Amino acid sequence: MLPLLFHVNDPTLPGYVSADTPLGISNYHIDDATLAAVNHLLRGVDAELESPQKAEIHSLYLMGSCGTIAHSSLSDYDIWLCHAPTLTSNQLDMLRSKAAKIEQWANIYGLEVHFFLMNAEHFRQGHVEELSSESSGTAQHHLLLDEFYRTALLMAGRIPTWWLVPPGREKEYDAYVAELVESCDPIARESIDFGGLGHMPAEEFFGAAVWQLYKAIDSPHKSVLKILLMEAYAHQFPDVDFLCVAFKRSVYTQACDVDNTDPYIMLLDRLSQYLESSERADRLQLIRRCFYFKTGIPLTRVDFDPGSDWQKDLLLNLVSQWRWGDQELSELDNQEQWNINQIIRERKLLINELRHSYFALSDFAREHAGLAAISQNDLNLLGRKLYAAFDKTAGKILIINRGFKTDLHESAVKFVQHSLQAGGRQWYVCRHGSATNEIPDNNPIERGASAVELLIWAFFNRIVDSQTGFSLATKLSYLSSRELSEITTVLEDKFPHGNLTSVTMEDYAAESCLKSVQLFINIDVNPASIIATSGGHDIQPDNVLKASEIGENLMRSIDAVFSTSHQEVFVHHYTGTAGLLDCLCAYLSWTPLENTVVPANADAFCFAHPYGGALAKSVSSLFGDVGHCFLENPEAPEAPRYIIAIENRFAINSLLVY
C-alpha cells in the first residue's frame, strides 16, 4: 500500500497534505493487491485511486536489513523517496511533510519508518541530506552507496542505472552510462542514476569511522560489523572490491545463490576472510557474536521445523560451522538476564574493537588522504555526541547499558562501606544477600568513594528505581536507607525509568547547557549535630545559613546532580560554606554571561532532620536569585553584585570570579 500513498493525493488516505503535493511514481500501476490492502487497513474509505498523468516521484526503495537474515520484528524501515530534480523548495516541503505524516501513521502499527528524500542528480554531485540521528550527512558517500546497492529493494518506480553497468566496467562507470544514453537505450532512460563506485577517495574513511562510532552508542554490535568492513576496505585500497560489486558480479555470472548473496552473509564472509588472513581469532569470535546478536534469533529458545524458516535454518548452519555449543548459545540468547558485570565485559570488548578500527582508519586517512571528506560542522556535531557518551570526566556518570536489551533492575540492593587497608573508605553497591556487613563479595555491582554517586550511577543504568529496596552495612556513616529511597523517588519523578531528555542534532550544534539540577542537602549528616547547632531555636528559611548565636551554617553538604542538553549526568559533592559557594559557581559556569539564558531551576531537597524543608527552600531560592541577578540583564551598565550573608560573614560574587 505504501507506494499508493505517494502515487496519489487523496484526503481520505494517510499522509495527505494538499492537492498540490508532488505525486505520481514512474512506471507504477495500482493493482488488485493494493486495493485489497486499502480495504483491509482503511475500511470504509472511498478514495479516488486513478493514476495521475505526471510522475514527480522516480522511485521508492527499502534499504537496510529488510529481506535479509538480519531482519527481525524490531527492525526499522529506511526508505529512499527518490523525487524528480525539478521540484521546487515548496514542493519538497510538502513532500517531506507527507512523509512525516506517513511515518506517524506507520507508528500506529508498531513500525519505525524513516523516509529520506533523495535527488539522484544532487547525490551524484556530492550533495547530501543534513546530518541527523538517521542521516550520515557528509560523513560517508561511497560507503552509503555501497550499502544501498547491495540491500535496496525496489518497491516502485525506476531501477538503478548502476545495475545496467557490467561489474567489469565499474571503473569506467560514467563513460559506460554515457554510451547507454547515446544509444537511446529505453531501459536506461527509465532508470535512476546515483553514480558508480569505481573509486572511493581515501578522505571518506575517517568521516565514515566517526559516523559508525556515533551509531555505536545505541547499536554497538551492528556498528562493530560496519566499521570493521571499512577497515577491510581500507586494507584493499586503492583497489577496493565493494560488496555491492561482488553482489552484482554474482548476478551477471548467474552464480547468484540466494543464501550466499544475502547482504549480511556477504558482509560476514568478507569480515571472516579479512580476520582469518590477519590471524586474529579473538576479533573473529567477536564479530560472530555481533552478527548473532544482529539477527535477533535466539536459537535455544525457538522451536521450528527444519525447512520451515530460512533465517533460522541459515543461522543454525552458521553456528554449527563455528562449533558453538548449547552453553555458548544459551548465554547469548539470555542477554536479557545478563548482570551488570557481563554487560561491562561485553561493552569493553565492543569499545576496544571500535577503538581498534577507528585508529586503524585514522592512520589510514593520515597516510593516504589530505583533508577529511566530512564537513567540519558534521565532525563537530558527531564529536560532541561521542564526547558526551564516552568521555570520562570527574563526576560524570558513565551509562554503560546503551545498546543492550538487558533488564538490569534489582528488587533489592545493599550499600556496604568498607575501610581500606591503605586508609580511607570505599562504598560498594551489591545485590541484596551477596555481601556481608564487613567485606563485600568479590563481585559487587559497582564501587566508589560515595554512596550517593553509586546510587545515581545505579539509577541511570536502570539497576534501581523507586520500587527497589535498600539496606545498608556501615559503622562509619549516618546515611539511612530512607535517604536513598527519597533520592531515588526524586530522580524517578524527574527522569521516569531512568530516561534522560531526548536530544536532537540541533542540541549538539549548541554548547552543552544544564537541563536540570537536583541538590540533595545534608545527606549522610548526623541530624543531632544540626539540632545542637540550632540551639533549639525556631529556624526559618531566611536564617538557616547563619543560625544560632554564633551564626553557624546548618547546611553541611550538597550532593549536586547536573544533567545537560547533551545527555550527560554529573554528580559532585560539596561540603561546608566554601562548598556551597563552589557549587553555586559551578552552577553558573554552565551558562556564559553572553547567553542571556537563566540556567535551569535548582531543585533542592533535604530529608534527614527537622529543618530539611527550610534548608531546601533557602538553598533553592539562593540559586534562583543569583542566576537571575547575573544573567537576567547582562547589558546593564554596571556589573551587578550579589551579597550573601552566610555564617558570621558576607560573601560577594563578582562577574570576574566565576
Side-chain angles (χ1 to χ4, degrees), residues 196-215:
L197 286 159
H199 175 68
M200 175 178 173
E203 291 85 353
E204 188 174 320
F205 281 97
F206 177 73
V210 174
W211 171 252
Q212 287 307 324
L213 286 181
Y214 160 74
K215 297 297 285 184

Side-chain angles (χ1 to χ4, degrees), residues 223 250 271 304 385 387 391 447 476 506 550 584 620 658:
S223 291
S250 69
L271 299 184
F304 65 98
K385 175 75 173 180
Y387 180 87
D391 183 64
R447 66 192 73 198
L476 309 167
E506 286 74 18
I550 60 172
L584 191 55
S620 185
Y658 79 88

Side-chain angles (χ1 to χ4, degrees), residues 379-489:
L379 186 58
N380 289 340
L381 291 178
L382 294 176
R384 284 176 174 172
K385 175 75 173 180
L386 292 170
Y387 180 87
F390 294 119
D391 183 64
K392 296 179 181 179
T393 13
K396 184 174 177 178
I397 296 298
L398 188 61
I399 300 175
I400 53 89
N401 64 348
R402 283 177 174 166
F404 292 89
K405 298 180 292 184
T406 311
D407 179 9
L408 297 175
H409 180 260
E410 297 284 343
S411 59
V413 296
K414 176 181 282 189
F415 285 81
V416 180
Q417 190 180 38
H418 179 54
S419 297
L420 301 176
Q421 290 182 350
R425 300 164 185 170
Q426 190 166 49
W427 281 94
Y428 301 81
V429 57
C430 311
R431 291 172 190 81
H432 186 71
S434 67
T436 68
N437 287 352
E438 296 295 332
I439 301 175
D441 67 355
N442 293 326
N443 199 26
I445 296 176
E446 185 58 295
R447 66 192 73 198
S450 160
V452 174
E453 184 176 339
L454 283 178
L455 177 67
I456 306 301
W457 175 88
F459 175 79
F460 283 104
N461 279 291
R462 301 177 187 175
I463 297 170
V464 303
D465 59 19
S466 57
Q467 303 302 312
T468 301
F470 298 102
S471 60
L472 288 156
T474 174
K475 297 178 181 178
L476 309 167
S477 171
Y478 294 102
L479 184 66
S480 68
S481 57
R482 173 178 169 270
E483 286 179 299
L484 296 175
S485 295
E486 294 278 13
I487 292 172
T488 308
T489 299

